[in-house]
Amino acid sequence: MIYVIEGPDRCGKSTFINHLRNNILNPRQLIIHSSKPPKELFGDLLQRWTMIYYNELINNAIKLNNEGFDIILDRSWISETVYGPLYRKLSLPLNVLEHAIGENSHMFKLCIFQDDPIKLLSREDGESDAQNINDKTKELAAFTSAYSQTVIKKQFKFNWADLPFRKDVLEEYAKTVIKS
């Protein structure tokens, strides 16, 4: 299986990944963290880099999954469709970045993490692009839009807005995602 872990900064993705990893029975598992594009790229170079990077990421994840690995993607092309337009002046449609998935969407599970923007900002450590309520609200809306457009149909939503943030809850979520 290929697990895609998505959501804004400080919503529990990394903690969840640890629980997910510990509950996957397959010893052949890899965690791949998608990072921001290089800061020195702009315009066409940034667009080309982004398309190549995510096309290769998807193709490699599918190849490794076919070889018996469980893959955990800590962020993905979905984040780029959120952060690119908001912070990098790069707007690529989700379907352009997802075209490499093709007929393999059944291999993917999307784990979506959300929270109230005020709670997210209260956990901020200065590393996120969004530093105010307006930016955080725009991010959350963009993530919601992206989730509705992705070709990945197996989606699991975790919204902390109505719960106190507790790491032990993530253990049960991990088990649910793996079983489903």
Side-chain angles (χ1 to χ4, degrees), residues 49-73:
W49 182 94
T50 303
M51 290 174 61
I52 291 169
Y53 178 85
Y54 288 110
N55 186 52
E56 288 180 4
L57 176 71
I58 292 168
N59 285 329
N60 287 332
I62 291 169
K63 180 180 179 269
L64 288 165
N65 186 252
N66 284 331
E67 292 174 0
F69 285 88
D70 280 316
I71 308 300
I72 300 171
L73 298 179

mmCIF file of all heavy atoms in Angstrom, residues 49-73:
data_model
loop_
_atom_site.group_PDB
_atom_site.id
_atom_site.type_symbol
_atom_site.label_atom_id
_atom_site.label_comp_id
_atom_site.label_asym_id
_atom_site.label_seq_id
_atom_site.Cartn_x
_atom_site.Cartn_y
_atom_site.Cartn_z
ATOM 1 N N TRP A 49 10.753 21.545 -12.553
ATOM 2 C CA TRP A 49 11.290 20.773 -11.432
ATOM 3 C C TRP A 49 10.154 20.078 -10.682
ATOM 4 O O TRP A 49 10.249 18.888 -10.355
ATOM 5 C CB TRP A 49 12.064 21.686 -10.475
ATOM 6 C CG TRP A 49 12.686 20.947 -9.326
ATOM 7 C CD1 TRP A 49 13.942 20.460 -9.254
ATOM 8 C CD2 TRP A 49 12.051 20.600 -8.072
ATOM 9 N NE1 TRP A 49 14.147 19.833 -8.048
ATOM 10 C CE2 TRP A 49 12.999 19.897 -7.303
ATOM 11 C CE3 TRP A 49 10.786 20.810 -7.535
ATOM 12 C CZ2 TRP A 49 12.718 19.411 -6.029
ATOM 13 C CZ3 TRP A 49 10.501 20.311 -6.266
ATOM 14 C CH2 TRP A 49 11.465 19.628 -5.530
ATOM 15 N N THR A 50 9.092 20.825 -10.409
ATOM 16 C CA THR A 50 7.961 20.287 -9.647
ATOM 17 C C THR A 50 7.301 19.129 -10.382
ATOM 18 O O THR A 50 7.005 18.083 -9.780
ATOM 19 C CB THR A 50 6.942 21.409 -9.350
ATOM 20 O OG1 THR A 50 7.617 22.456 -8.647
ATOM 21 C CG2 THR A 50 5.782 20.902 -8.522
ATOM 22 N N MET A 51 7.075 19.294 -11.659
ATOM 23 C CA MET A 51 6.430 18.222 -12.430
ATOM 24 C C MET A 51 7.308 16.974 -12.474
ATOM 25 O O MET A 51 6.820 15.861 -12.283
ATOM 26 C CB MET A 51 6.089 18.715 -13.830
ATOM 27 C CG MET A 51 4.960 19.742 -13.816
ATOM 28 S SD MET A 51 4.619 20.493 -15.417
ATOM 29 C CE MET A 51 4.150 19.096 -16.379
ATOM 30 N N ILE A 52 8.603 17.138 -12.700
ATOM 31 C CA ILE A 52 9.515 15.989 -12.746
ATOM 32 C C ILE A 52 9.612 15.322 -11.378
ATOM 33 O O ILE A 52 9.538 14.096 -11.258
ATOM 34 C CB ILE A 52 10.907 16.425 -13.261
ATOM 35 C CG1 ILE A 52 10.823 16.797 -14.734
ATOM 36 C CG2 ILE A 52 11.942 15.324 -13.035
ATOM 37 C CD1 ILE A 52 12.068 17.487 -15.271
ATOM 38 N N TYR A 53 9.768 16.126 -10.327
ATOM 39 C CA TYR A 53 9.922 15.591 -8.971
ATOM 40 C C TYR A 53 8.726 14.716 -8.586
ATOM 41 O O TYR A 53 8.896 13.578 -8.133
ATOM 42 C CB TYR A 53 10.077 16.754 -7.982
ATOM 43 C CG TYR A 53 10.188 16.322 -6.542
ATOM 44 C CD1 TYR A 53 11.409 15.948 -6.012
ATOM 45 C CD2 TYR A 53 9.065 16.290 -5.711
ATOM 46 C CE1 TYR A 53 11.524 15.554 -4.684
ATOM 47 C CE2 TYR A 53 9.167 15.902 -4.391
ATOM 48 C CZ TYR A 53 10.391 15.534 -3.887
ATOM 49 O OH TYR A 53 10.502 15.138 -2.579
ATOM 50 N N TYR A 54 7.507 15.234 -8.773
ATOM 51 C CA TYR A 54 6.335 14.465 -8.341
ATOM 52 C C TYR A 54 6.017 13.311 -9.273
ATOM 53 O O TYR A 54 5.526 12.269 -8.827
ATOM 54 C CB TYR A 54 5.144 15.394 -8.111
ATOM 55 C CG TYR A 54 5.360 16.201 -6.856
ATOM 56 C CD1 TYR A 54 5.608 17.569 -6.910
ATOM 57 C CD2 TYR A 54 5.400 15.585 -5.615
ATOM 58 C CE1 TYR A 54 5.850 18.299 -5.755
ATOM 59 C CE2 TYR A 54 5.649 16.302 -4.456
ATOM 60 C CZ TYR A 54 5.876 17.661 -4.541
ATOM 61 O OH TYR A 54 6.133 18.363 -3.394
ATOM 62 N N ASN A 55 6.309 13.444 -10.556
ATOM 63 C CA ASN A 55 6.139 12.328 -11.467
ATOM 64 C C ASN A 55 7.054 11.177 -11.052
ATOM 65 O O ASN A 55 6.629 10.018 -10.983
ATOM 66 C CB ASN A 55 6.443 12.778 -12.900
ATOM 67 C CG ASN A 55 6.142 11.701 -13.912
ATOM 68 O OD1 ASN A 55 5.054 11.143 -13.949
ATOM 69 N ND2 ASN A 55 7.116 11.412 -14.750
ATOM 70 N N GLU A 56 8.324 11.496 -10.743
ATOM 71 C CA GLU A 56 9.268 10.463 -10.303
ATOM 72 C C GLU A 56 8.876 9.893 -8.938
ATOM 73 O O GLU A 56 9.007 8.692 -8.704
ATOM 74 C CB GLU A 56 10.685 11.023 -10.264
ATOM 75 C CG GLU A 56 11.259 11.235 -11.647
ATOM 76 C CD GLU A 56 12.678 11.790 -11.639
ATOM 77 O OE1 GLU A 56 13.273 11.941 -10.548
ATOM 78 O OE2 GLU A 56 13.192 12.056 -12.738
ATOM 79 N N LEU A 57 8.399 10.749 -8.038
ATOM 80 C CA LEU A 57 7.961 10.281 -6.727
ATOM 81 C C LEU A 57 6.841 9.247 -6.868
ATOM 82 O O LEU A 57 6.898 8.162 -6.278
ATOM 83 C CB LEU A 57 7.484 11.455 -5.866
ATOM 84 C CG LEU A 57 6.902 11.090 -4.504
ATOM 85 C CD1 LEU A 57 7.996 10.599 -3.574
ATOM 86 C CD2 LEU A 57 6.182 12.277 -3.899
ATOM 87 N N ILE A 58 5.852 9.572 -7.658
ATOM 88 C CA ILE A 58 4.721 8.655 -7.854
ATOM 89 C C ILE A 58 5.185 7.368 -8.536
ATOM 90 O O ILE A 58 4.849 6.262 -8.086
ATOM 91 C CB ILE A 58 3.591 9.343 -8.655
ATOM 92 C CG1 ILE A 58 2.953 10.454 -7.811
ATOM 93 C CG2 ILE A 58 2.540 8.324 -9.101
ATOM 94 C CD1 ILE A 58 2.041 11.383 -8.594
ATOM 95 N N ASN A 59 5.946 7.496 -9.605
ATOM 96 C CA ASN A 59 6.421 6.302 -10.318
ATOM 97 C C ASN A 59 7.270 5.409 -9.425
ATOM 98 O O ASN A 59 7.125 4.182 -9.442
ATOM 99 C CB ASN A 59 7.195 6.701 -11.579
ATOM 100 C CG ASN A 59 6.286 7.176 -12.683
ATOM 101 O OD1 ASN A 59 5.144 6.736 -12.794
ATOM 102 N ND2 ASN A 59 6.777 8.086 -13.505
ATOM 103 N N ASN A 60 8.162 6.004 -8.636
ATOM 104 C CA ASN A 60 8.999 5.210 -7.734
ATOM 105 C C ASN A 60 8.170 4.551 -6.632
ATOM 106 O O ASN A 60 8.428 3.400 -6.265
ATOM 107 C CB ASN A 60 10.107 6.066 -7.132
ATOM 108 C CG ASN A 60 11.189 6.392 -8.144
ATOM 109 O OD1 ASN A 60 11.421 5.630 -9.077
ATOM 110 N ND2 ASN A 60 11.839 7.533 -7.977
ATOM 111 N N ALA A 61 7.194 5.265 -6.097
ATOM 112 C CA ALA A 61 6.329 4.677 -5.058
ATOM 113 C C ALA A 61 5.562 3.479 -5.613
ATOM 114 O O ALA A 61 5.471 2.429 -4.963
ATOM 115 C CB ALA A 61 5.373 5.734 -4.511
ATOM 116 N N ILE A 62 5.016 3.614 -6.809
ATOM 117 C CA ILE A 62 4.283 2.508 -7.432
ATOM 118 C C ILE A 62 5.222 1.327 -7.694
ATOM 119 O O ILE A 62 4.886 0.175 -7.404
ATOM 120 C CB ILE A 62 3.592 2.975 -8.731
ATOM 121 C CG1 ILE A 62 2.443 3.940 -8.387
ATOM 122 C CG2 ILE A 62 3.073 1.786 -9.537
ATOM 123 C CD1 ILE A 62 1.860 4.672 -9.581
ATOM 124 N N LYS A 63 6.411 1.614 -8.220
ATOM 125 C CA LYS A 63 7.385 0.552 -8.500
ATOM 126 C C LYS A 63 7.767 -0.189 -7.215
ATOM 127 O O LYS A 63 7.761 -1.423 -7.168
ATOM 128 C CB LYS A 63 8.628 1.154 -9.156
ATOM 129 C CG LYS A 63 9.710 0.156 -9.483
ATOM 130 C CD LYS A 63 10.903 0.857 -10.134
ATOM 131 C CE LYS A 63 12.005 -0.097 -10.450
ATOM 132 N NZ LYS A 63 12.981 -0.228 -9.374
ATOM 133 N N LEU A 64 8.080 0.555 -6.174
ATOM 134 C CA LEU A 64 8.456 -0.069 -4.905
ATOM 135 C C LEU A 64 7.300 -0.853 -4.296
ATOM 136 O O LEU A 64 7.499 -1.930 -3.738
ATOM 137 C CB LEU A 64 8.963 0.990 -3.928
ATOM 138 C CG LEU A 64 10.336 1.564 -4.266
ATOM 139 C CD1 LEU A 64 10.592 2.847 -3.479
ATOM 140 C CD2 LEU A 64 11.427 0.527 -4.002
ATOM 141 N N ASN A 65 6.091 -0.328 -4.415
ATOM 142 C CA ASN A 65 4.925 -1.052 -3.905
ATOM 143 C C ASN A 65 4.750 -2.362 -4.664
ATOM 144 O O ASN A 65 4.465 -3.400 -4.059
ATOM 145 C CB ASN A 65 3.679 -0.179 -3.989
ATOM 146 C CG ASN A 65 2.483 -0.828 -3.345
ATOM 147 O OD1 ASN A 65 1.565 -1.260 -4.029
ATOM 148 N ND2 ASN A 65 2.502 -0.908 -2.024
ATOM 149 N N ASN A 66 4.947 -2.328 -5.965
ATOM 150 C CA ASN A 66 4.859 -3.558 -6.763
ATOM 151 C C ASN A 66 5.951 -4.559 -6.402
ATOM 152 O O ASN A 66 5.797 -5.755 -6.626
ATOM 153 C CB ASN A 66 4.922 -3.235 -8.262
ATOM 154 C CG ASN A 66 3.614 -2.676 -8.776
ATOM 155 O OD1 ASN A 66 2.542 -2.983 -8.262
ATOM 156 N ND2 ASN A 66 3.698 -1.830 -9.788
ATOM 157 N N GLU A 67 7.046 -4.074 -5.817
ATOM 158 C CA GLU A 67 8.134 -4.951 -5.382
ATOM 159 C C GLU A 67 7.943 -5.426 -3.939
ATOM 160 O O GLU A 67 8.831 -6.054 -3.379
ATOM 161 C CB GLU A 67 9.471 -4.216 -5.522
ATOM 162 C CG GLU A 67 9.860 -3.956 -6.963
ATOM 163 C CD GLU A 67 11.098 -3.098 -7.114
ATOM 164 O OE1 GLU A 67 11.690 -2.670 -6.094
ATOM 165 O OE2 GLU A 67 11.472 -2.834 -8.266
ATOM 166 N N GLY A 68 6.804 -5.099 -3.329
ATOM 167 C CA GLY A 68 6.500 -5.613 -2.003
ATOM 168 C C GLY A 68 6.704 -4.642 -0.850
ATOM 169 O O GLY A 68 6.573 -5.037 0.308
ATOM 170 N N PHE A 69 7.018 -3.403 -1.127
ATOM 171 C CA PHE A 69 7.203 -2.409 -0.070
ATOM 172 C C PHE A 69 5.895 -1.686 0.229
ATOM 173 O O PHE A 69 5.093 -1.436 -0.666
ATOM 174 C CB PHE A 69 8.237 -1.350 -0.485
ATOM 175 C CG PHE A 69 9.652 -1.829 -0.444
ATOM 176 C CD1 PHE A 69 10.220 -2.455 -1.541
ATOM 177 C CD2 PHE A 69 10.421 -1.641 0.699
ATOM 178 C CE1 PHE A 69 11.533 -2.889 -1.515
ATOM 179 C CE2 PHE A 69 11.735 -2.070 0.743
ATOM 180 C CZ PHE A 69 12.291 -2.696 -0.367
ATOM 181 N N ASP A 70 5.695 -1.349 1.490
ATOM 182 C CA ASP A 70 4.672 -0.387 1.875
ATOM 183 C C ASP A 70 5.368 0.965 1.927
ATOM 184 O O ASP A 70 6.449 1.092 2.525
ATOM 185 C CB ASP A 70 4.059 -0.708 3.241
ATOM 186 C CG ASP A 70 3.017 -1.811 3.153
ATOM 187 O OD1 ASP A 70 2.188 -1.767 2.221
ATOM 188 O OD2 ASP A 70 3.020 -2.713 4.009
ATOM 189 N N ILE A 71 4.773 1.953 1.308
ATOM 190 C CA ILE A 71 5.376 3.280 1.190
ATOM 191 C C ILE A 71 4.533 4.270 1.977
ATOM 192 O O ILE A 71 3.304 4.279 1.859
ATOM 193 C CB ILE A 71 5.434 3.741 -0.291
ATOM 194 C CG1 ILE A 71 6.095 2.686 -1.175
ATOM 195 C CG2 ILE A 71 6.116 5.102 -0.415
ATOM 196 C CD1 ILE A 71 7.507 2.339 -0.817
ATOM 197 N N ILE A 72 5.184 5.106 2.763
ATOM 198 C CA ILE A 72 4.515 6.195 3.475
ATOM 199 C C ILE A 72 5.082 7.497 2.923
ATOM 200 O O ILE A 72 6.286 7.750 3.024
ATOM 201 C CB ILE A 72 4.750 6.114 4.996
ATOM 202 C CG1 ILE A 72 4.222 4.787 5.551
ATOM 203 C CG2 ILE A 72 4.091 7.308 5.694
ATOM 204 C CD1 ILE A 72 4.599 4.527 7.003
ATOM 205 N N LEU A 73 4.214 8.283 2.307
ATOM 206 C CA LEU A 73 4.628 9.585 1.776
ATOM 207 C C LEU A 73 4.251 10.663 2.781
ATOM 208 O O LEU A 73 3.070 10.932 3.021
ATOM 209 C CB LEU A 73 3.949 9.860 0.432
ATOM 210 C CG LEU A 73 4.270 8.877 -0.695
ATOM 211 C CD1 LEU A 73 3.500 9.259 -1.956
ATOM 212 C CD2 LEU A 73 5.757 8.820 -0.963
#
